Amino acid sequence: MTAQLPQPAFWILTVLAAGRRHGYEIMREASEASEGRVELKVTTLYAALERLEREGLIVADGEEVVNGRARRYYRITDAGSGRLAEEVEVLERSVRAARERLTQVRIAPLMPTSAVAG
């Protein structure tokens, strides 16, 4: 079994699954996609990008200078897409298990408090 992706890596791969992006776009889109639950800091982002690149899950895909600032672009690899798909499947199975248990709690008959005390 593959280890769970850390949240920053999950959201970076999720953003890059939609196409080539540069660092600031990745940070902004990860925040939007996670509904603000994930706010990537610059140091966290670039450490995660380096790790994902070493693992072959993403690749650098060019640079350009915009308003005097260099932008490095990244894209997801086939291996990265596969790894993200695996993670999504694990999360979906986890959600199904939790929903089943919540349903069981809701439909289980409640014992009257007098029966518990007796």
Side-chain angles (χ1 to χ4, degrees):
M1 178 177 223
T2 308
Q4 183 176 4
L5 282 173
Q7 268 211 336
F10 174 82
W11 288 106
I12 290 167
L13 291 177
T14 298
V15 168
L16 292 177
R20 176 181 186 256
R21 301 284 189 275
H22 62 76
Y24 177 74
E25 287 175 314
I26 295 169
M27 289 189 309
R28 183 178 48 77
E29 289 185 32
S31 177
E32 288 173 7
S34 70
E35 299 177 342
R37 291 185 313 276
V38 172
E39 296 288 337
L40 297 172
K41 305 286 187 240
V42 172
T43 53
T44 302
L45 172 69
Y46 285 99
L49 288 170
E50 286 178 18
R51 187 178 64 255
L52 291 168
E53 195 168 16
R54 270 194 318 273
E55 294 172 1
L57 303 179
I58 66 169
V59 292
D61 191 36
E63 292 184 20
E64 67 182 11
V65 176
V66 176
N67 296 328
R69 301 188 76 181
R71 288 184 178 169
R72 175 177 271 182
Y73 288 83
Y74 296 89
R75 66 177 172 78
I76 196 168
T77 63
D78 289 343
S81 292
R83 182 65 186 88
L84 180 59
E86 287 174 13
E87 188 71 12
V88 168
E89 179 58 35
V90 167
L91 292 170
E92 287 174 340
R93 283 194 310 265
S94 298
V95 167
R96 278 193 301 273
R99 280 199 178 120
E100 286 172 12
R101 282 157 181 80
L102 283 170
T103 301
Q104 291 170 1
V105 168
R106 282 192 219 123
I107 62 173
L110 296 175
M111 291 178 56
T113 54
S114 60
V116 175

